Amino acid sequence: MVLSAGDRATIQAMIRTAAHLPGNAMEARRRSTVVLTGSGTFELPSEVRFVTVIQKSPGGGGGSGGRGLTSTSGGGGGAGGAVLRNTLTAAQFGSSVTYDAGAGGAGGAAKTSDGAGNNGTNGGDSTIDCASGTLTAHGGGGGTGGKASIGDSGASRMAPVEGFQVALGGIGGEGHAGSAGDAGGAALGGPGGGGGGGTMGGAAAQDGGAGGGVPGLASTGGGGAAGTADGESGLEGAVALTLDGTGTGGGGAAGSILANGGTGGDGGFPSAGGGGGGAASGGGDSGPGGAGADGEIVLVLD
């Protein structure tokens, strides 16, 4: 049978109409993406068959710098969060789920009297309560406070991981007394924050370390710039720059002689670690650490 031009036009119009009817099989196979932040409840559309859950856990806060008479070290940068992926059937996911994307860790508070800096807090967990069980992506560790004497602040804890198809977060950079803070670790998950700069012998303030960025890119890979002048603060990391859509690490702050140390830069949203605060010697207060970025959950619906 040979169809006329009018018949072909009628059939094509019927196909186009059917493809857009609610609940139609062609409509069900269309992929859509939902981004969840904060906490709440998500209702799964009835036509969805599979859900890929991508959890980007929060970053840790940077430690504050140490405060002392002469040589002090900057705070360590916070570690970035991990990225966890799981693909579930609609039955495994559930028709209604509760979620908490997780809050970033707070930066360590400035020191107003001589002593070691305050540690940053760990990033919270990113959780989603599915019918088959709770999926959890742990947050990055907080940076260690700087010392009130010669020494290193120490690296932050990498986010523990569980599950499948994981991209690890970067470790925060260490703060030092006699040299610039280390750069934060680059990562496909959340990069780490840069270490804060210290002071040495009451005569030289050190630069902070740059925030971690994307592996393979030039320079810092988009991480927050470090403080490089006496007491200069680090800059906030970039938003959603890495291949997995996480932010980049906050820059570490510079130390200061006779004045306040700089403030560590906040981690870029989502998942990046905060920068370490700058140390202070000779009378000023140390700089506080930058905050880790909050987490995010992405649902890919098929």
Side-chain angles (χ1 to χ4, degrees), residues 25 57 76 140-141 248:
S57 66
T248 58

Side-chain angles (χ1 to χ4, degrees), residues 177-283:
S179 60
D182 293 341
L188 295 177
T199 64
M200 187 64 180
Q206 305 295 332
D207 298 343
V214 184
L217 291 186
S219 184
T220 62
T228 55
D230 190 304
E232 184 179 31
S233 297
L235 297 184
E236 182 177 359
V239 175
L241 183 64
T242 73
L243 298 179
D244 272 307
T246 66
T248 58
S256 180
I257 306 292
L258 302 178
N260 295 337
T263 300
D266 293 339
F269 178 81
S271 303
S281 62

Side-chain angles (χ1 to χ4, degrees), residues 119-134:
N119 296 339
T121 60
N122 297 338
D125 290 342
S126 171
T127 60
I128 184 163
D129 296 321
C130 301
S132 58
T134 300

Side-chain angles (χ1 to χ4, degrees), residues 165-204:
Q165 298 185 24
V166 172
L168 299 177
I171 295 175
E174 290 188 356
H176 305 288
S179 60
D182 293 341
L188 295 177
T199 64
M200 187 64 180

Side-chain angles (χ1 to χ4, degrees), residues 31-282:
R31 172 172 290 194
S32 62
T33 299
V34 177
V35 178
L36 305 175
T37 57
S39 60
T41 301
F42 174 75
E43 305 290 338
L44 186 69
S46 60
E47 68 272 13
V48 174
R49 298 173 300 166
F50 298 97
V51 182
T52 298
V53 181
I54 305 171
Q55 294 166 273
K56 306 173 187 180
S57 66
S64 65
R67 183 182 191 273
L69 292 176
T70 55
S71 300
T72 54
S73 60
V83 177
L84 178 67
R85 292 181 180 81
N86 286 281
T87 298
L88 308 175
T89 65
Q92 290 171 325
F93 184 81
S95 59
S96 178
V97 301
T98 58
Y99 66 88
D100 186 347
K111 288 292 292 185
T112 58
S113 59
D114 288 354
N118 295 300
N119 296 339
T121 60
N122 297 338
D125 290 342
S126 171
T127 60
I128 184 163
D129 296 321
C130 301
S132 58
T134 300
L135 301 177
T136 301
H138 300 293
T144 305
K147 297 184 182 299
S149 59
I150 294 177
D152 301 331
S153 61
S156 52
R157 170 185 66 86
M158 183 180 291
V161 295
E162 56 187 47
F164 300 98
Q165 298 185 24
V166 172
L168 299 177
I171 295 175
E174 290 188 356
H176 305 288
S179 60
D182 293 341
L188 295 177
T199 64
M200 187 64 180
Q206 305 295 332
D207 298 343
V214 184
L217 291 186
S219 184
T220 62
T228 55
D230 190 304
E232 184 179 31
S233 297
L235 297 184
E236 182 177 359
V239 175
L241 183 64
T242 73
L243 298 179
D244 272 307
T246 66
T248 58
S256 180
I257 306 292
L258 302 178
N260 295 337
T263 300
D266 293 339
F269 178 81
S271 303
S281 62

